[in-house]
Amino acid sequence: MLDWLGLPVPASAHAREVDQIMSLVHWLMLVLLVGWGVFFVYVLVRFRRSRQPLASYHGVKARWASWVEGGVLAAVVALLVILSIPLWSARVDALPPERGSTVVRVVAEQFAWNVHYPGADRVFGRTHISLVNPDNPLGLDRHDPAGRDDITTINRLNLPVGRPVIVYLSSKDVVHSLGLPQMRIKQDATPGVVQPVWFTPTRTGEWDIACSQLCGLGHYRMRGVYSIQPQAQFDAWLAREATLLSQ
Ligand SMILES: [Cu+2]
């Protein structure tokens, strides 16, 4: 029932719930489109000039018109109150505990995604704007003890499958938007704000990170890759990056 929209593969724990709402909204819109379309054609024929030479200024008096309006209103309110608001609050009210989750910072800039892993100590090193340069786009302080083992990448977000991921999302310049279609995640990255986003990947695979806000002339090339990997593969990658750091 959910595949008729042609959505990307659902690869996170909450993906199907989002799809369900999208599907219901589309069904409602389809019913409205066809319903109003048929009614419009009926009105054109029924009130054509040859049959109705004099205009009526009183409008429709029939009861059924109000019932139809009321029905549409009830369907929209039901979608919002029964489905959308509970799903939204489940997504944003509380984060999963950091212990047991993969925690990562993503800092957007024109036109790249900077990714920051806390390393083996699970603590992010200090970052400061004065340290930002082309070789250190995150401004990470490697002299900070917590920052020595931190791993950074550009346009590559590797994550393990099967446990929650918390992304602390921010931006260095303008408003960008982290779009992970297969995770059913889309969140604006706003300068000056650190916005947490979380999801639980349920499927391995490699897909595009899309910037979903028109963020400047190079917006079209602000493309990254995210890869959902088995835990062992992810751990091996982190270990490899850690060895590269110590060389
Ligand atoms: Cu962007």
Side-chain angles (χ1 to χ4, degrees), residues 6-11 16 19 181-182 184:
L7 293 165
V9 289
R16 276 312 192 186
D19 292 2
Q182 294 73 14
R184 304 296 189 270

Side-chain angles (χ1 to χ4, degrees), residues 36 44 58 67 72 80 84 111 117 134 151 202 229 232:
W36 290 131
L44 285 182
H58 302 297
W67 282 108
V72 172
L80 200 62
S84 307
F111 299 96
Y117 295 85
I151 287 156
T202 51
Q229 309 174 340

Side-chain angles (χ1 to χ4, degrees), residues 5-244:
L5 285 172
L7 293 165
V9 289
S12 71
H14 70 279
R16 276 312 192 186
E17 291 171 70
V18 173
D19 292 2
Q20 199 180 23
I21 289 179
M22 275 203 258
S23 176
L24 286 172
V25 168
H26 278 80
W27 276 117
L28 177 64
M29 292 304 136
L30 190 69
V31 169
L32 288 182
L33 177 77
V34 172
W36 290 131
V38 169
F39 180 67
F40 177 61
V41 173
Y42 166 77
V43 167
L44 285 182
V45 176
R46 170 68 180 78
F47 299 102
R48 65 189 183 277
R49 201 165 128 194
S50 60
R51 194 171 156 188
Q52 204 85 20
L54 264 181
S56 158
Y57 297 104
H58 302 297
V60 180
K61 295 254 169 55
R63 269 282 169 76
W64 62 265
S66 330
W67 282 108
V68 172
E69 291 281 3
V72 172
L73 188 67
V76 172
V77 170
L79 275 179
L80 200 62
V81 175
I82 299 176
L83 290 170
S84 307
I85 294 176
L87 172 61
W88 180 243
S89 83
R91 301 257 61 251
V92 300
D93 278 355
L95 289 176
E98 287 200 359
R99 190 166 272 286
S101 305
T102 310
V103 184
V104 64
R105 290 178 65 225
V106 172
V107 182
E109 69 171 76
Q110 286 175 320
F111 299 96
W113 300 99
N114 299 293
V115 182
H116 184 179
Y117 295 85
D121 64 356
R122 299 178 64 92
V123 181
F124 289 105
R126 190 180 82 94
T127 56
H128 196 269
I129 197 163
S130 62
L131 299 171
V132 172
N133 64 48
D135 292 329
N136 185 5
L138 284 158
L140 175 62
D141 182 359
R142 288 288 182 192
H143 297 293
D144 176 23
R148 270 186 212 139
D149 63 350
D150 288 17
I151 287 156
T152 63
T153 65
I154 297 177
N155 292 331
R156 151 99 13 207
L157 175 61
N158 287 350
L159 297 168
V161 72
R163 49 199 223 125
V165 174
I166 303 173
V167 177
Y168 289 106
L169 181 66
S170 58
S171 167
K172 274 160 71 175
D173 37 42
V174 300
V175 178
H176 301 269
S177 181
L178 179 74
L180 308 176
Q182 294 73 14
M183 298 295 127
R184 304 296 189 270
I185 285 293
K186 193 168 284 183
Q187 174 63 55
D188 279 4
T190 312
V193 175
V194 177
Q195 177 68 49
V197 202
W198 75 276
F199 52 93
T200 306
T202 51
R203 221 185 257 219
T204 55
E206 194 165 289
W207 301 287
D208 282 351
I209 304 173
C211 181
S212 308
Q213 286 282 12
L214 188 53
C215 58
L217 281 176
H219 168 67
Y220 69 94
R221 64 180 157 85
M222 187 162 167
R223 171 176 173 256
V225 169
Y226 76 105
S227 169
I228 308 295
Q229 309 174 340
Q231 185 76 47
Q233 188 185 339
F234 175 72
D235 292 341
W237 172 75
L238 274 186
R240 216 163 41 241
E241 290 290 319
T243 346
L244 287 176

